Amino acid sequence: MDILEKIQPVFKDVFDDESIKVTRETVAADVEDWDSFAQMQIVMSLEDMFNIKFRTTELEHFNCVGDVVDTIQKHLDEKQ
């Protein structure tokens, strides 16, 4: 299972919407109710899911879901 597929349930849970499907190109403006609070929930859920901790500088560069996926992959690669 790739990272993008694995994180889908996080978005469904945060936005309480089983029909939501994010892509690498998805940005906050594409999803109703994606505000700073939802962003924090997503980040914390992903950190728990992958047992990683995002750096502040990484968070500042999250422009789309693809950026998040790439950063998660980078953390996983560093753990190996």
Side-chain angles (χ1 to χ4, degrees), residues 8-41:
Q8 296 295 330
V10 170
F11 289 88
K12 291 177 182 193
D13 182 53
V14 168
F15 298 108
D16 195 27
D17 182 353
E18 286 299 314
S19 69
I20 195 168
K21 175 124 171 95
V22 295
T23 67
R24 289 187 57 84
E25 294 77 27
T26 301
V27 296
D30 295 333
V31 181
E32 187 176 347
D33 298 327
W34 190 333
D35 56 15
S36 58
F37 182 69
Q39 181 79 9
M40 287 175 37
Q41 289 180 294

Side-chain angles (χ1 to χ4, degrees), residues 67-80:
D67 294 338
V68 178
V69 169
D70 293 344
T71 304
I72 291 169
Q73 185 62 60
K74 183 180 121 195
H75 278 271
L76 296 177
D77 290 346
E78 288 173 355
K79 289 172 103 175
Q80 293 183 12

